[in-house]
Amino acid sequence: SYVLTQPPSVSVAPGKTAKITCGGNNIVDKSVHWYQKRPGQAPMLVLLYDVDRPSGIPERFSGSNSGDTATLTISRVEAGDEADYYCQVWDGARDLPLFGGGTKLTVL
Amino acid sequence: QVHLVESGGGVVQPGRSLRLSCPASGFTFSNFALHWVRQAPGKGLESLALISYDGSTEAYADSVRGRFTISRDNSKNTLYLEMSSLRVEDTAMYYCAREKSQGEAFGVLEHWGQGVLVTVSS
C-alpha cells in the first residue's frame, strides 16, 4: 500500500522559511494536497494540486512536487503558522484520501 | 457560506453502537461527495469513509470496514456515520468534510466541520 512519510517536527524562527516534506514513491505522479491543523480546530486546506492556494490562503504558502518528494514551503513564517501540517494524496487502491503522518511546525 | 456541523458523539462502552450526523447548509448538498475523517488523541488524520454525491458509491478504510456505515439523506442535507462494534481504539475526534468540486470525488477536502468527540470506554 502507498505510504506518505513526513518528518515529525520542523522548527523555524519567525520571518524565516519553513519547508515541510512529504515523501512517497514517485509522488510526482500524484496530486498532493496540504492541510493545516491547529489544536481544537478543524483541518484547513492550505494547498491543493501541489501548488494551488485556496481562496484566502496567503502567498507565503507555496508547494512543489518532484520525484519522490512533495514540499510545502512557508515563507516569512509567523507565530500563527504554528500548527500540524498534513500532506494528502488520493489512494486509488482504496478510493479514499490518504494522509501523511503529519509534521508539527514550531515557530521558535 | 458552507456549514457542516457534526453531532451524536459521546461516551460509549466497547461493543456498543453510535450514529454521527452531519447536517449541512450553504451549498447544493446532493452535488458533492462527502467524507468522514478522524483524529485519535495524539495521532494524525485518518480517512474513514467516503460517499458519492448521489449515495451510490461508498468506500471504507480497512480499520472500520464492516463496522461503520456511511450514508446520506439528500432530502435532509445530512451525512451520517453509523458506528457499531466500537472499540477503545475508535476513540477520536470525528470530522465530516466536503469535496472541493461537485460530482466525482477527487479527495480534495475543502470544507470541514468542527468535529465531534467519540470516547469508547468501559
Side-chain angles (χ1 to χ4, degrees), chain A residues 33 35 37 40-45 48-49 54-55 84 86 88-90 94-102, chain B residues 35 37 39 43-50 59-62 95 99-100 105-110 112-114:
Chain A
H33 318 299
Y35 300 84
K37 176 70 172 67
Q41 296 187 20
M44 180 173 67
L45 181 68
L48 63 158
Y49 296 111
S55 173
D84 294 329
Y86 293 87
Q88 176 248 310
V89 300
W90 181 253
R94 292 175 172 77
D95 284 335
L96 283 175
L98 173 68
F99 291 95
Chain B
H35 301 255
V37 177
Q39 184 176 33
K43 304 293 186 182
L45 299 175
E46 179 188 13
S47 177
L48 297 180
L50 158 69
Y60 296 93
D62 292 344
Y95 298 96
E99 283 273 339
K100 175 178 173 57
F106 291 100
V108 183
L109 281 59
E110 185 178 31
W112 297 68
Q114 284 302 304

Side-chain angles (χ1 to χ4, degrees), chain B residues 60-113:
Chain B
Y60 296 93
D62 292 344
S63 59
V64 303
R65 186 178 296 110
R67 300 188 301 122
F68 289 13
T69 302
I70 189 172
S71 63
R72 64 191 297 162
D73 186 336
N74 284 351
S75 68
K76 295 182 178 178
N77 289 358
T78 302
L79 173 71
Y80 302 99
L81 185 67
E82 189 75 45
M83 304 184 293
S84 63
S85 303
L86 281 162
R87 305 167 180 168
V88 171
E89 54 265 35
D90 293 320
T91 294
M93 186 70 78
Y94 286 72
Y95 298 96
C96 59
R98 197 207 81 176
E99 283 273 339
K100 175 178 173 57
S101 300
Q102 300 183 75
E104 183 182 352
F106 291 100
V108 183
L109 281 59
E110 185 178 31
H111 297 282
W112 297 68

Side-chain angles (χ1 to χ4, degrees), chain B residues 23-66:
Chain B
S25 62
F27 64 98
T28 303
F29 184 81
S30 59
N31 287 359
F32 290 85
L34 298 167
H35 301 255
W36 286 101
V37 177
R38 72 183 177 187
Q39 184 176 33
K43 304 293 186 182
L45 299 175
E46 179 188 13
S47 177
L48 297 180
L50 158 69
I51 189 166
S52 60
Y53 65 94
D54 60 358
S56 63
T57 304
E58 302 162 22
Y60 296 93
D62 292 344
S63 59
V64 303
R65 186 178 296 110

Side-chain angles (χ1 to χ4, degrees), chain A residues 18-98:
Chain A
K19 290 184 180 292
I20 298 173
T21 59
C22 176
N25 187 38
N26 291 323
I27 198 172
V28 65
D29 294 334
K30 297 181 179 293
S31 294
V32 181
H33 318 299
W34 291 89
Y35 300 84
Q36 179 190 71
K37 176 70 172 67
R38 295 189 176 108
Q41 296 187 20
M44 180 173 67
L45 181 68
V46 295
L47 213 63
L48 63 158
Y49 296 111
D50 301 338
V51 298
D52 293 337
R53 284 185 311 278
S55 173
I57 300 302
E59 291 183 7
R60 301 186 297 104
F61 288 77
S62 62
S64 64
N65 188 0
S66 178
D68 293 335
T69 304
T71 303
L72 170 67
T73 300
I74 308 173
S75 305
R76 303 181 298 283
V77 167
E78 304 172 356
D81 297 330
E82 189 163 280
D84 294 329
Y85 290 85
Y86 293 87
C87 61
Q88 176 248 310
V89 300
W90 181 253
D91 184 348
R94 292 175 172 77
D95 284 335
L96 283 175
L98 173 68

